[in-house]
């Protein structure tokens, strides 16, 4: 099934959907929904309802608006590692984001004070159960599902120091969504096409089977450091094709439309806006 957070009537609603459409629920978002022990039964029951709601693309918000933790893995596709000139890592390269960094799947991405704005298509893993010091199978069982993301990066800020955080954590610059496809529906390790296009020009085209550390690996690894809980997010890294890896980088400009898509999950479509007034 699909789980979404939908903007409607001045607020938001959790929604459950399938190929026939969406059913709006009483909870305000997916994170509130999955906090209830019986959520899966109620969501399945809702899908038996014959009346479905039409939801416009701009009504989808990012599904889990209050993650306590957002972990990201850099250098996790072999082709991206090659284009950066680095060796394949023995352990995941981790950094963090904040909930304020996230934004919706069709929202404008408003940026300032950067001249080197880059795209990074990513598979997002949404945690559905508390997991701590887990092995691979326990970690896999704790995954609620998967969404699409793009780790829009301010490379000039990122490259100021050896630490990446300052180029990755600008407010409302990381779209997530458009919904969560539950883990029983698909397995990214078996291979899903992941793409990014800028103004309809394909710039990234890869397969999630090429991840060095897959979703279960990453959740298990992070859980050795800290407990992950329902609604937490793990971004799994980007494939090759980013501007940073080009001989003459083509950085994102005002008005560019970035479309990020993962086979079997969905697509994001975000317009870049430069705010020169702040």
């Amino acid at each position: 099934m699909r789980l979404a957070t939908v903007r409607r009537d001045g607020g938001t609603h959790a929604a459950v959907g399938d190929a026939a459409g969406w059913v709006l629920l009483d909870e305000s978002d997916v994170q509130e929904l999955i906090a209830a022990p019986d959520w899966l039964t109620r969501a399945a029951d809702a899908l038996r309802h014959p009346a479905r709601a039409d939801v416009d693309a701009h009504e989808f918000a990012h599904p889990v608006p209050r993650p306590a933790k957002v972990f990201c893995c850099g250098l996790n596709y072999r082709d991206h590692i090659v284009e950066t000139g680095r060796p394949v890592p023995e352990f995941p390269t981790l950094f963090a984001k904040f909930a304020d960094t996230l934004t919706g799947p069709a929202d404008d991405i408003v940026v300032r004070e950067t001249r080197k704005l880059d795209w990074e298509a990513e598979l997002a893993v949404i945690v559905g159960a508390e997991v701590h010091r887990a092995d691979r199978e326990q970690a896999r069982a704790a995954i609620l599902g998967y969404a699409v993301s793009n780790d829009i990066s301010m490379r000039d800020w990122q490259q100021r120091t050896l630490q990446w955080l300052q180029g990755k954590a600008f407010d409302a610059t990381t779209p997530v969504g458009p919904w969560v496809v539950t883990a029983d529906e698909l397995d990214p390790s078996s291979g899903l096409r992941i793409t990014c296009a800028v103004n309809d020009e394909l710039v990234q085209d890869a397969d999630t089977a090429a991840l060095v550390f897959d979703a279960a690996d990453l959740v298990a690894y992070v859980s050795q450091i800290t407990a992950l809980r329902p609604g937490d997010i793990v971004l799994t890294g980007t494939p090759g094709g980013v501007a940073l890896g080009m001989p003459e980088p083509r950085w994102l400009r005002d008005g560019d439309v970035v479309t990020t898509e993962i086979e079997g999950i969905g697509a994001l479509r975000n317009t870049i806006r430069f705010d020169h007034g702040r």
Side-chain angles (χ1 to χ4, degrees):
M1 68 178 69
R2 296 175 177 180
L3 304 173
T5 297
V6 175
R7 299 169 177 136
R8 186 67 62 90
D9 302 325
T12 61
H13 295 271
V16 58
D18 56 18
W22 294 93
V23 179
L24 301 184
L25 305 175
D26 292 335
E27 289 82 3
S28 62
D29 53 56
V30 171
Q31 200 161 350
E32 182 181 345
L33 173 66
I34 65 174
D38 64 342
W39 77 265
L40 184 57
T41 299
R42 290 194 295 111
D45 287 344
L47 285 178
R48 298 187 183 96
H49 197 286
R52 300 300 177 93
D54 292 326
V55 181
D56 181 81
H58 283 84
E59 292 184 286
F60 289 106
H62 61 86
V64 284
R66 298 174 305 281
K69 295 162 186 171
V70 181
F71 274 88
C72 310
C73 184
L75 303 175
N76 200 22
Y77 282 85
R78 295 182 187 277
D79 58 349
H80 182 48
I81 295 168
V82 168
E83 74 180 355
T84 63
R86 304 187 187 203
V88 175
E90 181 180 359
F91 302 106
T93 302
L94 298 179
F95 60 95
K97 285 182 179 285
F98 309 103
D100 287 344
T101 315
L102 307 179
T103 193
D107 294 348
D108 288 355
I109 295 173
V110 182
V111 298
R112 59 186 179 87
E113 297 183 2
T114 180
R115 296 183 178 180
K116 295 182 177 181
L117 191 67
D118 205 349
W119 55 83
E120 292 193 10
E122 304 216 11
L123 170 73
V125 181
I126 312 299
V127 176
E130 183 168 341
V131 57
H132 193 205
R133 297 176 182 171
D135 61 26
R136 179 180 168 82
E137 290 310 309
Q138 291 168 327
R140 184 190 298 276
I143 294 172
L144 173 67
Y146 305 96
V148 186
S149 186
N150 199 307
D151 179 20
I152 300 293
S153 299
M154 292 68 177
R155 298 296 192 189
D156 39 4
W157 285 77
Q158 180 183 342
Q159 294 173 330
R160 289 183 176 188
T161 70
L162 294 177
Q163 300 298 319
W164 297 351
L165 174 65
Q166 58 196 349
K168 301 282 191 172
F170 277 54
D171 288 348
T173 57
T174 304
V176 178
W179 42 70
V180 180
V181 176
T182 53
D184 60 322
E185 294 284 334
L186 49 78
D187 178 9
S189 296
S190 66
L192 302 174
R193 188 184 183 197
I194 177 171
T195 62
C196 180
V198 178
N199 301 330
D200 298 324
E201 177 190 351
L202 189 65
V203 290
Q204 291 183 284
D205 190 354
D207 192 301
T208 56
L211 284 164
V212 177
F213 305 102
D214 70 7
D217 290 334
L218 291 174
V219 171
Y221 188 81
V222 172
S223 80
Q224 308 307 311
I225 304 167
T226 183
L228 293 171
R229 296 181 174 87
D232 286 349
I233 300 173
V234 178
L235 300 185
T236 56
T238 197
V242 298
L244 183 65
M246 296 177 176
E248 297 183 7
R250 184 269 196 233
W251 307 111
L252 290 169
R253 298 184 288 260
D254 186 72
D256 282 347
V257 177
V258 180
T259 303
T260 315
E261 187 166 6
I262 300 179
E263 175 189 4
I265 301 179
L268 316 174
R269 188 173 175 87
N270 304 95
T271 300
I272 303 297
R273 302 294 184 196
F274 277 76
D275 182 358
H276 301 293
R278 297 184 188 176

